[in-house]
Amino acid sequence: MGKVYLVGAGPGDPDLITLKGLKAIQQADVILYDRLVNKDLLEYAKSDADIIYCGKLPNYHTLKQETINNFLVKFAKKGKIVTRLKGGDPFVFGRGGEEAEALVQQGISFEIVPGITSGIAAAAYAGIPVTHREYSASFAFVAGHRKDSEHDAIKWDSLAKGVDTLAIYMGVRNLPYICQKLMKHGKTSATPIALIHWGTCADQRTVTGTLGTIVDIVKEEQIENPSMIIVGEVVNFHDRLNWFEKTGQHYYSFAQEAY
């Protein structure tokens, strides 16, 4: 029996992967990777490793989740070391829990290798601290859409009134709905909001506005997925602390040095 590593590859900058995650790539016989994984990381795979793309676009899945689960089980039962490489963290909107359950059901050994999630990293690369002693004592990770469009399953009232900073994943398409719900449940139209497109990557771009103006700004600037949405007073730090985009200090990957 082999083993499966569910690995968080980080938010996009390949240098942000953990050492343990890098080792899991290096030792893998099979790697299944998602769309948002930086392909520079695949350069560390063994020359004879099988590499399988499992990427998902909005409304289009290259492989269904059940198929991915079956692949993990099949290869592990053949005695392979399998690395399931996911953008961000496998347990933060990465379906890592579903895949781990499938492995448990088949009695397959596995490890979870956490990764840096975009809700924190994209904000940091845009100069936005998700917590701050004066402005934000709490933050929450929020799904911008739900399975089968179950939007109202999100507790907008609690989020709007009880959390200082929101990091909203996969929400660009539903941005008008998100802004409407937050304002309906207590956020003012002047609440700052930012969208960070391709956070931590070389072509990162950030736009800011308020809940009342951001929909028009995003449309004008043509911001699309993948983008992280940050809501809260901490967004006002972007203009002062925007070290990554402002200085052009884009990453130089250690993968480029090694190859």
Side-chain angles (χ1 to χ4, degrees):
M1 187 72 75
K3 185 171 184 176
V4 176
Y5 293 87
L6 302 177
V7 177
D13 181 341
D15 287 356
L16 294 179
I17 194 169
T18 64
L19 287 174
K20 189 165 187 177
L22 186 62
K23 291 176 182 177
I25 294 172
Q26 292 171 327
Q27 69 182 10
D29 301 309
V30 181
I31 296 174
L32 294 91
Y33 73 99
D34 284 345
R35 178 174 72 98
L36 298 182
V37 170
N38 192 307
K39 293 180 180 59
D40 284 355
L41 294 173
L42 300 177
E43 299 292 334
Y44 289 95
K46 296 189 296 188
S47 60
D48 60 347
D50 291 325
I51 298 178
I52 300 171
Y53 178 63
C54 304
K56 298 179 179 67
L57 289 166
N59 298 320
Y60 177 77
H61 290 183
T62 299
L63 294 178
K64 292 183 178 180
Q65 187 61 53
E66 294 78 9
T67 303
I68 296 171
N69 295 349
N70 290 337
F71 272 145
L72 297 176
V73 170
K74 180 182 75 171
F75 288 121
K77 285 187 173 181
K78 289 182 177 180
K80 305 288 188 180
I81 299 299
V82 183
T83 291
R84 175 72 172 103
L85 201 57
K86 297 171 170 291
D89 181 278
F91 274 13
V92 180
F93 305 123
R95 302 192 182 185
E98 297 174 40
E99 293 173 2
E101 282 185 303
L103 297 172
V104 168
Q105 290 170 5
Q106 296 295 323
I108 293 170
S109 176
F110 68 93
E111 288 189 28
I112 309 299
V113 181
I116 301 174
T117 187
S118 295
I120 297 170
Y125 270 52
I128 300 171
V130 293
T131 66
H132 189 283
R133 286 198 299 170
E134 296 179 10
Y135 299 99
S136 177
S138 60
F139 73 97
F141 296 153
V142 184
H145 69 83
R146 295 294 297 268
K147 184 176 68 172
D148 300 327
S149 300
E150 295 174 352
H151 299 307
D152 289 329
I154 299 173
K155 297 177 176 61
W156 294 109
D157 181 66
S158 298
L159 292 172
K161 295 177 181 176
V163 182
D164 295 325
T165 303
L166 304 176
I168 303 175
Y169 295 66
M170 307 168 290
V172 175
R173 186 176 61 182
N174 295 326
L175 183 62
Y177 174 86
I178 291 168
C179 293
Q180 174 193 2
K181 283 291 186 180
L182 289 174
M183 288 187 288
K184 177 181 178 180
H185 289 286
K187 294 287 188 187
T188 71
S189 62
T191 302
I193 180 173
L195 274 80
I196 308 158
H197 181 59
W198 282 115
T200 80
C201 295
D203 50 357
Q204 173 180 308
R205 189 156 69 102
T206 304
V207 297
T208 61
T210 66
L211 290 179
T213 64
I214 195 64
V215 172
D216 289 337
I217 292 171
V218 164
K219 184 176 181 180
E220 181 179 347
E221 296 292 332
Q222 298 182 325
I223 300 296
E224 300 176 342
N225 280 309
S227 295
M228 177 59 56
I229 302 171
I230 306 294
V231 181
E233 296 301 320
V234 291
V235 169
N236 290 327
F237 284 95
H238 168 69
D239 288 339
R240 283 175 282 166
L241 305 184
N242 180 22
W243 62 276
F244 187 66
E245 296 168 52
K246 187 178 293 184
T247 64
Q249 196 173 359
H250 296 160
Y251 67 75
Y252 180 80
S253 172
F254 54 64
Q256 295 168 337
E257 296 175 0
Y259 291 88

